[in-house]
């Protein structure tokens, strides 16, 4: 069983897709191969059942089965997304995940009015329902949730809840927020928070320079994120960004909200990891034009990589 | 088995609460008593698993069990809310409900961008997944869904999909929309649409005067809605509104979004229908101040009714 | 010149409409008569250039001219809405209003992300731009602004800025927020905040019972608000609510967001205060059906009042 | 006087910043130099008083003065943003702009409910107020306006209003929308629409490949947009994208909503066009960290360009 995430965790947690066949059923063999592909790219860990994992289109039983399958397949640490309109269902899923060896649980305050006290109360209720031993990732993604959260409130939660060890940062624009969070830690009075960045990785070099610990996003070339983060941590920020910039045209293309999921699955199918690129309805579907456009961007990437 | 809803359906479909005990488990005996109370108030039918039924906090298994229990308890027509992020889960639930004898299925276009073509495509996909024999209710509730829909688009859907026989109208402000929808039908070129009004019933007399067929909402005194609609249909709009106005102070109090559900459950408990007024977390909870305020409004209502 | 608003201000500040003629020009004579009507109804003060005053459709010159005209016409305290995308324009208008004798300035944090720190910083910047001598009203109206604000943040602002003496409360649902704000004051550690309620007055009796000081809204029968508040403050809450309930059917009708402004202007025209009920485009316009519906509600009110 | 925009207009219309001095006053000399810089980069035209021009923070008099100054300084076609809460003020500004020689007027349906019929009615009212001789640009920017619009509705407007000759496309994700719009034109039954792309230019090569005619955005290196569009139109899409990709890291950095304006002004100051990079409050302000980060990105760009 992998080590739990903690306040110094760094690296790349790749957000995993959930593969389906043409009928919409979960394709378990593809899920195995996908986990293997991710592991081969050198990622630090996986995050499953996030938005990109189409978790809200899975039944409770399917979510459990995905957890079981992935945790049986890999020794990497696995963070499990458990956001749910009902706190009871959220807690049930979280306990199941921890029992099976998850490294942490991810939650976003995506319901109810966007008041700071409501968000604070909700995350406290989540933590109470899950108990102090379940490491938590707070997902800050206002573009998707409609709930903006201040750096101040994130810190308050991080201080009040020792188990809230990690921030999935994907506010946008959000670079100054990373700086603000790190400035809060400067005098040592507060506990460090691990910060992994989402938002498709679009600003990853800048985020690392401002103090982020890595990435937690779903780019279909995880090795690019891994190398960018590794080079940065090795003290070579320019080499990190040179490498990153090679992938940027495709990364920017994938980062399109909602639609990008279909692009990522198409690439994962091309890479042999999954048998079918379909998303569950009402998810996006690619036209021949969309696929040709993507193929062209991939060809351009491959040419750049060969140089 | 009750008759399916159709384009001339009128009356009051009461939106049913889902009773829980203090642990958050569904209280099946209370659900039975609640169905009986609703039936005793003279409602035309029930709508279960709507927003007020906290459907998004129930597992798929629980939703099925609620359907089974309610349909076994009553011969009244029952509309089942089936909105779900995933089209497959939505269709599975819808088929289950129809197999068990539901009178219709209710769906709202609550995901994705609020473009008229996206909404249109989504409802067509829903209809295709459910087949032509399942009568559909289109729920138009932009305050909750963030998806505004024009009278024109509602009509296009109603014309393209013969099974879309009813509108749950709760746009706000929305009185002119009812007039617009009825004006479209004036020359007989398009098929009539049954219009039942939600939004807590706050404008029910005006909605009836503009051509609505009744109410589909969750006021905890269903008899008030029934009498208002019956008097209106009996050609006594002033008597209908006199009756309605007696209840208006409390109805307005209940209509507060989100919070109102807790008030309604409190009243249903007072009326002996349910054993516990709790909502599932993270739902609202009433303080003693809130309950005293509600009690006072109820006492004032009872005094008015006695006069 | 009237006394400035302060932390113990109570009563009814009526939100004033801005009358236009059929060409869309400001009708100054109607504005005078409207101010006179308001004064005759016994209101404590006026609030001009709010949302109901269509302030965002007025040029900077027109806003100044409205301020000048109203302040020349009445000795009642006048609060001036100064919300504006630009802080400079906001401050210019605010200084003009204070120079002419306004009793206070109203502002809402209606721009930018709804983060508590952003809202806090913005209101501090507003206060700094206006100086410590301009009494401020914080308008909390998330339904219109999209910016939810917690009771905690309102209190922080009220404590940090001595000039922020009043809250225009129109969160919805918002009754528990009033209780929370008053609970903060219970031990005397913080300065009292005057709370006047907007939201069309829909819950005024409940708001008063929870500690609100009165109303700041635009109901076209200001005398009903005045009597409700006066009776409540005279220790007769039941009589207050009996009076209020007589007006509730019409008040609820007027409270419809956006559209309600056209209804109010229609009533103000019927009452002889303004010559033309038109709003500036793209504001709502009433059809004959809408007017007949309104006339019926007014007739029903008048019958109730005669009994 | 420059030629009006029309349905075959192509190229790059650069969205112009409005320069202010440290006091927040418009810096007219900087505005002149900025116009000159834009002209030197080879742009086809300018768009002034857009969101990036901070138009909503300017008074009506200031907006007129900006129009006059820019039109006096350049013979390039100038599109003028006229969006305004009030239709009268919008029309007054539009007429002023056309009288002074503007090449077209830009408007976005940014108020009121996002219903397709409301948007349609509003744009018809705008067109009626401006008359048939004022060429219109429809700005489709739901991320900023909250108003999604379908390709179908854009086409309906384009067909009903001959003067609506151009779309400023910045829906996101929006690539398939361009394909949908061009597919509508395929059989020649409808009039061609000029499509210039905003959204910071983040997908410009893909947008051109799908049939867009160019860009209308505010990147601080307009020459990059000009060369990308020119190379594409010269039949060299790969060379176009190679050039574009050199700028992509910086372009992506500038594209951050809201905050990006401050970055662009900083670059325009570095390039000698404007004397002061300040935005009007409550606009964003850069910290030394932000500026150092930007400088590094610029240095990396310059290195790439020298290779």
């Amino acid at each position: 069983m992998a080590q739990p995430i903690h306040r110094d965790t760094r690296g790349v947690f790749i957000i995993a897709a959930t593969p389906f066949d043409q009928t919409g059923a979960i394709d378990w063999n593809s899920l195995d191969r996908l986990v293997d592909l991710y592991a081969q790219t050198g990622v630090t860990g996986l995050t499953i059942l996030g938005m990109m994992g189409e978790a809200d289109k899975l039944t409770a039983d399917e979510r459990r089965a995905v957890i079981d399958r992935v945790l049986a397949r890999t020794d990497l640490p696995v963070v499990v997304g458990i956001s749910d309109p009902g706190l009871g269902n959220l807690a049930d899923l979280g306990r199941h995940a921890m029992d099976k060896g998850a490294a942490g649980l991810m939650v976003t305050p995506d319901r109810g009015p966007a008041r700071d006290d409501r968000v604070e109360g909700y995350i406290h209720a989540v933590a109470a329902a899950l108990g102090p031993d379940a490491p938590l990732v707070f997902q800050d993604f206002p573009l998707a949730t409609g709930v903006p959260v201040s750096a101040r409130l994130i810190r308050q939660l991080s201080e009040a809840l020792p188990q809230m060890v990690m921030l999935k940062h994907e506010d946008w624009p959000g670079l100054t927020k990373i700086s603000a969070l790190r400035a809060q830690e400067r005098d040592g009075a507060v506990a460090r928070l691990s910060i992994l960045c989402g938002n498709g990785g679009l600003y990853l070099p800048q985020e690392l320079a401002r103090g982020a610990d890595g990435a937690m996003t779903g780019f279909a070339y995880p090795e690019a994120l891994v190398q960018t983060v590794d080079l940065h941590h090795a003290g070579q920020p320019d080499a990190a960004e040179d490498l990153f910039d090679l992938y940027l045209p495709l990364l920017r293309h994938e980062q399109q909200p909602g639609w990008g999921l279909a692009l990522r699955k198409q690439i994962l199918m091309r890479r042999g990891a999954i048998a079918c690129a379909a998303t569950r309805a009402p998810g996006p579907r690619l036209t021949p034009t969309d696929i040709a456009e993507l193929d062209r961007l991939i060809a351009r990437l491959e040419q750049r990589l060969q140089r």
Side-chain angles (χ1 to χ4, degrees), chain A:
Chain A
M1 198 180 294
Q3 195 196 8
I5 56 167
H6 51 83
R7 288 178 178 267
D8 293 307
T9 294
R10 61 189 215 178
V12 173
F13 276 66
I14 195 76
I15 305 270
T18 304
F20 304 107
D21 64 22
Q22 287 293 358
T23 72
I26 296 176
D27 176 350
W28 299 106
N29 291 329
S30 286
L31 182 56
D32 286 344
R33 282 199 307 274
L34 183 61
V35 171
D36 295 346
L37 171 72
Y38 287 145
Q40 289 158 14
T41 62
V43 297
T44 315
L46 274 69
T47 299
I48 61 173
L49 299 178
M51 294 180 193
M52 187 188 146
E54 302 178 67
D56 62 352
K57 299 178 196 163
L58 305 189
T59 65
D61 289 343
E62 287 177 325
R63 293 189 206 185
R64 279 173 170 73
V66 167
I67 292 169
D68 297 352
R69 187 85 175 201
V70 170
L71 286 169
R73 186 77 182 181
T74 184
D75 292 328
L76 290 174
V78 176
V79 169
V80 178
I82 56 171
S83 293
D84 195 285
L87 185 58
N89 291 332
L90 179 152
D92 287 347
L93 191 70
R95 278 187 293 262
H96 178 85
M98 292 309 295
D99 288 347
K100 294 299 177 91
L105 306 173
M106 183 167 71
V107 68
T108 187
D110 64 350
R111 306 277 158 168
R115 279 206 291 262
D116 56 292
D117 56 348
R118 203 272 311 166
V119 172
E120 187 178 25
Y122 178 68
I123 298 297
H124 275 268
V126 166
L130 292 167
D133 295 330
L136 294 183
V137 183
F138 181 90
Q139 182 179 18
D140 180 23
F141 194 11
L143 185 69
T145 63
V147 181
V149 179
S150 65
R152 175 169 67 183
L153 178 52
I154 293 168
R155 182 60 57 187
Q156 285 173 350
L157 288 167
S158 164
E159 288 294 285
L161 300 168
Q163 69 267 52
M164 196 183 112
V165 298
M166 185 184 285
L167 171 68
K168 181 177 199 295
H169 166 80
E170 40 196 341
D171 200 352
W172 182 58
L175 293 171
T176 60
K177 195 181 230 177
I178 296 174
S179 297
L181 286 162
R182 288 300 181 224
Q184 293 166 349
E185 296 168 356
R186 205 161 289 156
D187 62 1
V190 301
R192 191 182 189 282
L193 190 60
S194 171
I195 302 176
L196 300 189
C197 297
N199 197 17
L202 195 60
Y203 305 97
L204 184 55
Q206 283 66 43
E207 291 164 334
L208 292 167
R210 285 171 181 264
D213 296 301
M216 185 184 278
T217 192
F219 187 43
Y221 294 86
E223 60 270 32
L225 304 175
V226 170
Q227 294 174 62
T228 299
V229 172
D230 284 353
L231 283 166
H232 181 87
H233 287 152
Q236 302 180 52
D238 283 306
E241 191 153 5
D242 290 343
L243 185 284
F244 175 87
D245 285 350
L246 293 177
Y247 287 90
L248 180 54
L250 193 52
L251 186 144
R252 156 216 57 159
H253 195 63
E254 277 192 21
Q255 189 256 354
Q256 296 175 79
W259 200 60
L261 168 59
L263 299 172
R264 286 172 176 170
K265 285 193 145 181
Q266 182 70 19
I267 297 177
L268 294 171
M269 185 176 70
R270 277 182 58 129
R271 298 190 77 177
I274 65 177
C276 166
T279 63
R280 274 197 174 169
R285 311 231 165 248
L286 300 183
T287 65
T289 299
D290 303 335
I291 293 173
E293 180 183 66
L294 180 63
D295 287 345
R296 186 173 168 279
L297 282 163
I298 292 171
R300 287 178 56 86
L301 170 64
E302 290 173 352
Q303 288 168 7
R304 278 194 301 275
L305 292 177
Q306 283 166 5
R307 270 179 227 149

